Amino acid sequence: MNALTEGQRLRRPVPDAMWEALQARFGDRLSRAEAVREHHGRDESPYPAMLPDAVVFAQGTDDVAFVAGLCNAHGIPLIPYGSGSSLEGHLLAIEGGISLDLQAMNQIVSVNAEDLTATVQAGVTRKQLNENLRDTGLFFPIDPGADASLGGMAATRASGTNAVRYGTMRENVMSLTVVTADGRVIRTASRARKSSAGYDLTRVFVGSEGTLGIITEVTVRLYPQPEAVAAAVCNFDSLDAAVQCVIETIQLGVPVARVEFMDAAAVRSVNLHSKMTLRESPMLVFEFHGSPAGVQEQAGLVQDLAREHGGKDFEWAERPEDRNRLWTARHNAYFAGLQLRPGCRASTTDVCVPISRLAECVGAAAQALAAASFPSTIVGHVGDGNFHVLMLLDPDSQAEWDESERINHAIVRQAIEADGTCTGEHGVGLHKMQFMAQEHGEDALALMRSLKHAFDPNNILNPGKIVSW
Amino acid sequence: MNALTEGQRLRRPVPDAMWEALQARFGDRLSRAEAVREHHGRDESPYPAMLPDAVVFAQGTDDVAFVAGLCNAHGIPLIPYGSGSSLEGHLLAIEGGISLDLQAMNQIVSVNAEDLTATVQAGVTRKQLNENLRDTGLFFPIDPGADASLGGMAATRASGTNAVRYGTMRENVMSLTVVTADGRVIRTASRARKSSAGYDLTRVFVGSEGTLGIITEVTVRLYPQPEAVAAAVCNFDSLDAAVQCVIETIQLGVPVARVEFMDAAAVRSVNLHSKMTLRESPMLVFEFHGSPAGVQEQAGLVQDLAREHGGKDFEWAERPEDRNRLWTARHNAYFAGLQLRPGCRASTTDVCVPISRLAECVGAAAQALAAASFPSTIVGHVGDGNFHVLMLLDPDSQAEWDESERINHAIVRQAIEADGTCTGEHGVGLHKMQFMAQEHGEDALALMRSLKHAFDPNNILNPGKIVSW
């Protein structure tokens, strides 16, 4: 598919002195094996792998600082690797260099139950954290589809199905430990819930995709596990009716925890993948959190709204196991979609628009997809105005790739014209760089570039991602 | 009091060519009158005024861009002026230059009710916005004590009594129009509720106190006016009992909208200033937002918790006018405090700590203040771990100033040791710069400085604030 060829890459050769220094410190934790490099030079994007020169397996912040210092001294690219689930080519070593695998940095450093905070190493995954919290009565709500690492989630400003109630990584990261380009270790903030003490370094690094510094520890906000939880699905005759129901839910101030849209194809894929029997028409999946009385009240209000918009079969998942099954199915929508076309690679869109513009944007996308030569599904975090198109492509067909890119461009153009963004939660990586000027304007992009130059003067940190040098 | 003397100031002379260009464009809207400069060279901080060379009254973003371009070309300081209510010396023209008054930029640009957003010019105040929203069923929750401008509130990352439920300006600014140091106009983000499209320029400018760019328009999140609101006061035997009640309230997940602490002296000052008869002992003021049933449920839970901690006289302000009176009194606590000692100037602290450390930090502050030679009050946004000490000083007494600074330092030191911050919501300005290295460490401070250098290479934007050059 579409990617830089080896010939186009500006590979920077790693000097012998640097190999020796890495070998001396890391021994077995340095690998130059093809299979290991291949595994670290790809992600879930449609791009073919672009291999780093070596992989280093870090065990702590001091390892990261050591490698950063070395790469900076020699001008060698350094790409942090969490769980490899990014979707936009974030991890591709387009200029070679070192992939720094942080998966062994998987310690829960501290849980402060009174303060509703936890500090974890960057390699801890969201499921691991929630397993660990189970007995505390607390939970961490941010849930991208994959079981991503907290470091990676912070680096891509991830969110998921709970964002409408609990926010994204932007709102839920309180502080980070970061290794700078020259190997210094900083902490971006205290554990105070709010601060006006200078520039917001935390938010500078959240969403910076490894291009400004390497996140090695993350302090996040936790929430009390809700006393009562209820989930339900409801089918609609049209996308428009479903979205209108969501707009009115939000405007009424119903603190809905989740509200997800799936088109008929997405429901079908989930039925096939998870052996479910959901009705295959436009569907909303709701979840309500609160006290038992509060949940009942919220659910009643939303049921009334759904009925007004022709919603059918408000079906409750009462038992925790039914609820988990439903949400697991929703989280697996990406992989379920892939199975609609065996052997395919997926290209996903991720636009997010003001909710008043959502119906027209999803509608136009659906129309374009109906005429496409490949299958696709649409799912959306509709409470946030964020939706994903999953285009299922023959990896050997340039024609399909080109067609998907045309549709992708049209979806993004319309989203930006609607005062939205080209990416709600997946990040820029390689694939969205082409939209940055259109979305932000050249002057804002120039400011981003000056930030990159200030924080990474030798351009070693995940070079060639987000903004060109 | 403590401030730079005229002799210490690095005043940069404004060249004739610049005066001519300003005069040609602004005419009457350029003032070099002493009284106007005096008014713009001070804020609510304890510092004496430090006058700019002139004041320009801007009417639009293009005016701001013009002045920035001119100042940048001539290396002249430029200080944006909102409503003059900052507390840390933000507005003092320590190197002279131009004060840019944005108060005439007071247009509500748009209200998008379906999307729960509003875009306003920087000079619009929070009360003006809420007046304008009254008939929409929506409101904007962030409420510092003063009727500050939205531009100023964004620039200081302000918050107030509602932050425990609705967040601060950090969470509630969606996008900004900003004039850069060289006079270019950028927009930092779209109106999408979330985005992963590159570096978070919005959060870079929120809290930057006019040192990285000049905010000319602000897009904020709005919220549905709650269907039901209830407020109550409750007195406790000790600070500790009150704080413990708050910790348990937050941990239970009660979505309390406001929970404010006042010590006996603060209650007394409010009684005197607002002619109220509140019991003069440690007090919590609560507010609950939600459906009628939801509010009743929240209030019941909190009443039970308060009772367990010896809370007395849970008194309800049932009618809207009683509630408004109570909150107006609370918002006026700063001015009420000033009246405890006629002719005084106030020095305020603003530390914010993890809530588990709040009782010990407030307790130590109270102990230090009990032995002080001047009167003081303590109020706190306790749900956030943020509290303020208002020290009422004789403006002619260097001894009192020195004593207040010793207490201030001790309070900040303890807060930082408790993993908190020197300023929860007031900002750094001049007065908190001395704590930045202690709080952030030299390496993080160096990164902040490199950000300043990248965004304002000629050091014209509010120079000498937040970080030294």
Side-chain angles (χ1 to χ4, degrees), chain A residues 113-116 156-160 163-164 168 170-171 180 184-201 203-209 211-212 224 244 247 250-253 291-294 297 352-357 381 383-384 386 418-428 436 439-440 443-444 446-452 454-455 465-467, chain B residues 113-116 156-160 163-164 168 170-171 180 184-201 203-209 211-212 224 244 247 250-253 291-294 297 352-357 381 383-384 386 418-428 436 439-440 443-444 446-452 454-455 465-467:
Chain A
E114 277 196 329
D115 299 321
L116 305 178
T156 49
R157 205 181 292 125
S159 49
V164 62
T168 72
R170 180 174 72 195
E171 288 78 24
T180 63
R184 288 185 282 182
V185 180
I186 66 159
R187 189 155 167 255
T188 58
S190 72
R191 281 200 306 116
R193 277 171 69 110
K194 61 185 199 185
S195 171
S196 291
Y199 306 141
D200 191 346
L201 292 181
R203 253 51 58 179
V204 168
F205 288 106
V206 170
S208 66
E209 303 182 10
T211 66
L212 298 178
Q244 208 52 47
I247 290 180
I250 304 286
Q251 278 205 306
L252 256 185
S291 65
E297 188 177 29
C352 184
V353 297
I355 197 169
S356 64
R357 309 296 296 273
H381 311 304
D384 298 317
N386 184 206
D419 209 357
T421 176
C422 67
T423 173
E425 56 184 13
H426 293 171
V428 177
M436 291 289 277
E439 176 167 338
H440 297 288
D443 288 334
L447 272 193
M448 290 192 196
R449 198 172 282 117
S450 76
L451 176 57
K452 167 73 173 173
F455 277 38
K465 312 292 166 63
I466 298 188
V467 288
Chain B
E114 277 195 328
D115 299 321
L116 305 177
T156 49
R157 205 181 292 127
S159 50
V164 62
T168 71
R170 181 175 72 195
E171 288 79 25
T180 63
R184 287 185 283 181
V185 180
I186 66 158
R187 189 154 166 256
T188 58
S190 72
R191 282 200 305 115
R193 277 171 70 109
K194 62 185 197 185
S195 172
S196 291
Y199 306 141
D200 190 347
L201 292 180
R203 254 50 60 178
V204 168
F205 288 106
V206 168
S208 66
E209 302 182 11
T211 65
L212 299 179
Q244 208 52 46
I247 290 180
I250 303 287
Q251 279 206 305
L252 256 185
S291 67
E297 188 177 29
C352 184
V353 296
I355 199 169
S356 63
R357 310 295 295 272
H381 311 304
D384 299 317
N386 183 207
D419 209 357
T421 176
C422 66
T423 173
E425 57 184 12
H426 293 171
V428 177
M436 291 289 277
E439 177 167 339
H440 297 288
D443 288 333
L447 272 193
M448 291 192 195
R449 198 171 283 118
S450 75
L451 177 58
K452 167 74 172 172
F455 278 38
K465 313 292 166 62
I466 297 189
V467 288

Side-chain angles (χ1 to χ4, degrees), chain A residues 1 3 20 46 48 104 119 124 131 138 150 158 175 177 183 209 261 271 273 292 296-297 308 327 337 345 415 419:
Chain A
M1 297 212 170
E20 284 158 22
T119 299
V124 168
E131 283 292 326
L138 304 174
L150 275 288
S175 178
T177 300
E209 303 182 10
F261 171 77
N271 276 342
H273 184 262
Q296 205 160 24
E297 188 177 29
E308 285 171 28
W327 287 112
R345 287 286 275 178
D419 209 357

Side-chain angles (χ1 to χ4, degrees), chain B residues 51 132 139 156 266 322 338 356:
Chain B
L51 279 54
N132 187 281
F139 80 113
T156 49
D322 293 339
L338 289 179
S356 63

Side-chain angles (χ1 to χ4, degrees), chain A residues 231-234 258-262 283-287 326-327:
Chain A
V233 298
C234 182
R258 293 164 151 170
V259 50
E260 294 289 306
F261 171 77
M262 299 172 86
M283 190 174 89
L284 293 178
V285 191
F286 289 97
E287 192 164 278
L326 184 64
W327 287 112

Side-chain angles (χ1 to χ4, degrees), chain A residues 15-180:
Chain A
D16 289 343
M18 184 166 150
W19 285 130
E20 284 158 22
L22 288 172
Q23 187 63 50
R25 181 175 177 114
F26 294 105
D28 282 356
R29 293 195 282 122
L30 168 70
S31 174
R32 298 170 73 174
E34 171 101 14
V36 175
R37 292 161 55 219
E38 160 86 23
H39 177 69
H40 287 78
R42 61 163 61 248
D43 54 16
E44 294 288 340
S45 70
Y47 296 118
M50 306 194 80
L51 278 53
D53 294 302
V55 179
V56 170
F57 295 86
Q59 292 183 340
T61 297
D62 55 338
D63 280 347
V64 177
F66 178 85
V67 177
L70 211 51
C71 286
N72 197 46
H74 295 285
I76 299 301
L78 178 56
I79 305 172
Y81 185 97
S83 56
S85 56
S86 54
L87 291 161
E88 304 289 356
H90 298 73
L91 300 174
L92 276 56
I94 57 175
E95 302 186 19
I98 307 297
S99 172
L100 190 59
D101 186 315
L102 305 175
Q103 290 180 96
M105 292 178 59
N106 63 357
Q107 300 301 305
I108 310 259
V109 178
S110 61
V111 174
N112 293 82
E114 277 196 329
D115 299 321
L116 305 178
T117 70
T119 299
V120 303
Q121 287 188 307
V124 168
T125 71
R126 65 179 182 87
K127 288 184 185 171
Q128 183 194 345
L129 174 58
N130 277 319
E131 283 292 326
N132 187 281
L133 292 173
R134 187 168 285 175
D135 298 333
T136 62
L138 304 174
F139 81 113
F140 176 69
I142 316 299
D143 63 337
D147 186 22
S149 68
L150 275 288
M153 288 167 61
T156 49
R157 205 181 292 125
S159 49
T161 66
N162 282 306
V164 62
R165 167 78 170 261
Y166 298 96
T168 72
M169 290 301 277
R170 180 174 72 195
E171 288 78 24
N172 286 290
V173 173
M174 300 185 70
S175 178
L176 297 166
T177 300
V178 173
V179 172
T180 63

Side-chain angles (χ1 to χ4, degrees), chain B residues 400-433:
Chain B
E400 285 194 13
W401 171 261
D402 293 343
E403 186 182 352
S404 78
E405 282 296 90
R406 277 195 301 276
I407 293 173
N408 183 18
H409 280 245
I411 289 171
V412 170
R413 189 182 326 113
Q414 186 173 17
I416 292 173
E417 283 168 6
D419 209 357
T421 176
C422 66
T423 173
E425 57 184 12
H426 293 171
V428 177
L430 281 175
H431 194 195
K432 296 290 199 300
M433 285 177 68

Side-chain angles (χ1 to χ4, degrees), chain A residues 211-424:
Chain A
T211 66
L212 298 178
I214 298 180
I215 296 167
T216 62
E217 286 187 11
V218 187
T219 299
V220 293
R221 286 181 70 158
L222 305 175
Y223 296 82
Q225 287 168 11
E227 199 187 344
V229 177
V233 298
C234 182
N235 288 79
F236 291 80
D237 290 334
S238 69
L239 158 73
D240 209 65
V243 170
Q244 208 52 47
C245 173
V246 175
I247 290 180
E248 291 176 22
T249 301
I250 304 286
Q251 278 205 306
L252 256 185
V254 181
V256 57
R258 293 164 151 170
V259 50
E260 294 289 306
F261 171 77
M262 299 172 86
D263 76 346
V267 180
R268 185 164 62 253
S269 76
V270 159
N271 276 342
L272 287 170
H273 184 262
S274 301
K275 301 189 177 42
M276 301 185 79
T277 55
L278 300 163
R279 178 198 286 251
E280 293 175 7
S281 78
M283 190 174 89
L284 293 178
V285 191
F286 289 97
E287 192 164 278
F288 306 102
H289 293 177
S291 65
V295 162
Q296 205 160 24
E297 188 177 29
Q298 293 174 45
L301 285 166
V302 171
Q303 257 180 305
D304 291 347
L305 287 176
R307 208 172 293 119
E308 285 171 28
H309 292 283
K312 296 183 182 74
D313 311 328
F314 219 90
E315 260 180 55
W316 291 94
E318 305 267 9
R319 297 177 307 171
E321 56 269 34
D322 293 339
R323 221 166 49 229
N324 286 341
R325 196 152 165 260
L326 184 64
W327 287 112
T328 302
R330 167 62 191 87
H331 274 123
N332 288 337
Y334 176 81
F335 299 102
L338 289 180
Q339 294 198 355
L340 286 183
R341 189 177 189 188
C344 73
R345 287 286 275 178
S347 180
T348 52
T349 73
D350 177 36
V351 297
C352 184
V353 297
I355 197 169
S356 64
R357 309 296 296 273
L358 182 62
E360 72 189 82
C361 290
V362 184
Q367 205 168 356
L369 291 164
S373 59
F374 44 78
S376 61
T377 63
I378 304 178
V379 298
H381 311 304
V382 278
D384 298 317
N386 184 206
F387 71 95
H388 305 300
V389 170
L390 190 66
M391 296 180 278
L392 305 168
L393 310 177
D394 175 350
D396 299 322
S397 166
Q398 185 66 37
E400 286 194 12
W401 171 260
D402 292 344
E403 186 183 352
S404 78
E405 281 297 89
R406 278 195 301 276
I407 293 174
N408 182 18
H409 279 245
I411 290 172
V412 170
R413 190 183 324 112
Q414 185 173 18
I416 292 174
E417 282 167 9
D419 209 357
T421 176
C422 67
T423 173

